[in-house]
Amino acid sequence: MPRLRITNVRAICTAPEGIRLVVVKIETNEPEIYGLGCATFTQRPLAVVEALETYLKPQLIGRDPNDIEDIYQTCYLSSYWRTGPIMNNALSGVDQALWDIKGKRAGMPVYQLLGGKVRTAATVYTHASGRDVQEVEEHARMLMGLGFTHIRAQVEIAGYSTYGAQGGSEPADAGTPVQAHVGHRPTHLEPVQRPWHESSYLRAVPKLFEHLRMTLGDEVELLHDIHERVSPIQAIGLAKELEQFRLYFLEDPLAPEDIGWFPRLRQQTSIPIAMGELFVNQTEWETLIKDRLIDYIRVHISAIGGLSIARKLAAFAEFFGVRTAWHGPGDVSPIGHAANLHLDISSTNFGIQELHLFNDTAREVFPGTPEVRDGMLWCNDKPGLGVDIDEKLAAKYPFPEHELHGAFPAVRRIDGSVIRW
Ligand code: GCO
Ligand code: MG
């Protein structure tokens, strides 16, 4: 039997929900054996395609796809300057595709290669939002009626921009193409979006959770994403105010640039903290985990370089009592969601999985997309990652065109100054 070799590596770009997704396909000299991996960096997708096809592909052609770790290290070190979301996403596409191939060759789902199942399915949290607290409550009730036990709640601030609710600026959550939010190029005096107003947000969030606890009771698990929008000291104040509402976790209270504030946050409150979707480098999470400054590590697996590094991160976190909550928005492809899930069901220190409910079009483009039942996410038992791509259909959903090419539009304060997203 001839040795298995990589014969082709290419990126597939598709946007079945209007959100730019990048998937890497690795082909081999055995035509039925190919692998798929997620390389989605929705704000800079074409840079990832270029990094993959120009710089990684030549190192991969002819190699044995079984050598995942050696290929990973070779590609990782080949740029001398390492990490960053572009190189990491390209590397993740390759890495996940190699795990997919290994699983297919072994005739086993990837979770078996990771040590086997420790749970039947992954508990998920889903998103409730609304224009006011009543609407958030109704949305949450609807989700609870569908069997969801963990709900992230975000409320609109009337007249202002916010994250994760209507009037917000986030495209991925709403499944709305980015161009819907972009009228014309913003100037300093003329923001295209509603402005951001910190103190209104800081007043609104405790009221939201007071209302939800009063109306929904104690049993439902509630979560909230600050999305790094307030200053460190304001985040500490908000975390302390929210403690009484017993959140499952408070997400991204601080920006990666402000991780030095975590010890202060931790000393002030016992609210469970989730952090990390913007991390791209091991030095960003090492101290937070080893000093037990967070409770959930929720990196975007393709942004840190793929499944190989994520499984090491999960094992590292386990030793310090930190649980996993991998980032799972609409700008992770169904293949990336499957990679999250294979780790979820094989990691002892799994905490929770963020859910994105893919629409029917995305499910047709990606047959095998994980299924949601009883508030949980279920992995299929197909060999590999278990998700395929219908390339002909994928081509019918090209990237939406607009002037920012996927970049997020600026969010501004009333005085016109730009804030973090
Ligand atoms: C989340 C996130 C996302 C990001 C998005 C950016 O917790 O799900 O914050 O919705 O904003 O992935 O592209
Ligand atoms: Mg988030």
Side-chain angles (χ1 to χ4, degrees):
M1 205 169 73
R3 194 172 62 87
L4 193 66
R5 281 182 299 103
I6 296 174
T7 51
N8 199 12
V9 178
R10 59 200 170 84
I12 303 166
C13 294
T14 183
E17 295 188 342
I19 300 170
R20 295 165 173 74
L21 305 175
V22 180
V23 165
V24 171
K25 184 166 191 174
I26 294 189
E27 291 162 347
T28 70
N29 52 336
E30 285 182 33
E32 71 286 5
I33 302 277
Y34 60 87
L36 297 167
C38 184
T40 301
F41 176 9
T42 204
Q43 293 82 352
R44 298 287 187 276
L46 300 181
V48 175
V49 173
E50 184 71 29
L52 175 87
E53 293 185 346
T54 306
Y55 300 107
L56 298 187
K57 181 178 171 179
Q59 302 178 51
L60 296 167
I61 303 295
R63 290 214 52 174
D64 182 340
N66 279 307
D67 300 340
I68 302 179
E69 183 67 11
D70 189 70
I71 292 176
Y72 185 93
Q73 296 297 342
T74 311
C75 290
Y76 173 66
L77 295 168
S78 68
S79 53
Y80 184 49
W81 278 276
R82 302 180 276 281
T83 76
I86 295 169
M87 291 316 299
N88 282 353
N89 267 285
L91 186 53
S92 163
V94 170
D95 175 73
Q96 292 186 3
L98 295 176
W99 280 97
D100 193 28
I101 291 176
K102 204 182 260 308
K104 284 173 177 164
R105 288 211 93 202
M108 287 180 193
V110 166
Y111 66 77
Q112 293 292 8
L113 308 178
L114 297 173
K117 271 191 186 177
V118 296
R119 57 183 56 77
T120 46
T123 304
V124 293
Y125 74 86
T126 183
H127 301 178
S129 60
R131 279 171 298 187
D132 52 33
V133 295
Q134 282 79 20
E135 270 193 19
V136 183
E137 176 201 331
E138 277 165 38
H139 194 178
R141 275 190 199 286
M142 188 272 278
L143 295 166
M144 288 161 73
L146 293 172
F148 292 108
T149 51
H150 293 66
I151 291 168
R152 188 190 84 170
Q154 311 284 141
V155 69
E156 181 178 337
I157 314 297
Y160 293 112
S161 143
T162 187
Y163 162 79
Q166 262 176 352
S169 26
E170 188 201 28
D173 237 36
T176 317
V178 183
Q179 77 263 31
H181 302 280
V182 183
H184 49 275
R185 200 172 295 280
T187 70
H188 224 59
L189 297 173
E190 197 182 24
V192 286
Q193 309 192 64
R194 296 189 224 171
W196 163 249
H197 194 238
E198 262 159 15
S199 33
S200 301
Y201 166 79
L202 291 166
R203 281 193 302 272
V205 178
K207 287 188 189 142
L208 168 68
F209 284 94
E210 185 178 18
H211 177 85
L212 294 179
R213 274 291 170 234
M214 252 163 44
T215 53
L216 301 177
D218 278 338
E219 275 175 33
V220 60
E221 297 285 4
L222 298 172
L223 300 80
H224 182 71
D225 189 352
I226 295 185
H227 220 258
E228 54 165 3
R229 279 210 173 184
V230 297
S231 71
I233 198 67
Q234 288 170 325
I236 293 175
L238 182 58
K240 285 169 68 171
E241 267 192 87
L242 293 179
E243 199 180 291
Q244 59 186 306
F245 304 114
R246 296 173 308 280
L247 264 58
Y248 184 84
F249 68 51
L250 179 64
E251 176 183 339
D252 285 3
L254 300 167
E257 291 86 343
D258 290 323
I259 51 179
W261 281 80
F262 268 101
R264 288 187 177 88
L265 171 62
R266 198 60 158 176
Q267 278 155 12
Q268 298 273 339
T269 170
S270 63
I271 197 163
I273 298 162
M275 179 70 191
E277 68 184 48
L278 286 165
F279 288 170
V280 291
N281 187 306
Q282 75 187 65
T283 56
E284 291 170 306
W285 63 70
E286 237 171 53
T287 306
L288 294 187
I289 293 175
K290 91 169 167 43
D291 291 351
R292 299 171 168 97
L293 296 172
I294 58 171
D295 302 280
Y296 297 88
I297 181 74
R298 51 178 281 98
V299 299
H300 186 103
I301 285 184
S302 66
I304 66 162
L307 193 54
S308 294
I309 178 96
R311 78 189 176 108
K312 294 176 191 176
L313 170 55
F316 174 63
E318 183 186 334
F319 293 156
F320 297 94
V322 173
R323 294 194 275 168
T324 66
W326 310 121
H327 193 216
D331 51 316
V332 167
S333 73
I335 291 157
H337 278 267
N340 287 348
L341 187 53
H342 282 270
L343 266 176
D344 295 341
I345 63 173
S346 59
S347 302
T348 299
N349 58 325
F350 164 72
I352 192 140
Q353 180 56 57
E354 180 179 23
L355 176 72
H356 174 77
L357 275 171
F358 284 103
N359 67 19
D360 290 345
T361 313
R363 289 177 178 277
E364 274 176 52
V365 172
F366 292 99
T369 296
E371 300 284 343
V372 190
R373 281 199 311 277
D374 310 324
M376 304 187 92
L377 199 58
W378 298 77
C379 201
N380 63 47
D381 286 327
K382 292 188 191 130
L385 290 171
V387 182
D388 208 346
I389 186 165
D390 179 335
E391 287 195 59
K392 277 207 184 110
L393 200 54
K396 292 198 179 140
Y397 302 97
F399 282 176
E401 279 304 321
H402 68 87
E403 58 178 314
L404 293 178
H405 299 290
F408 278 3
V411 181
R412 295 171 189 274
R413 297 188 184 87
I414 293 169
D415 69 1
S417 56
V418 178
I419 63 149
R420 287 183 185 124
W421 233 77

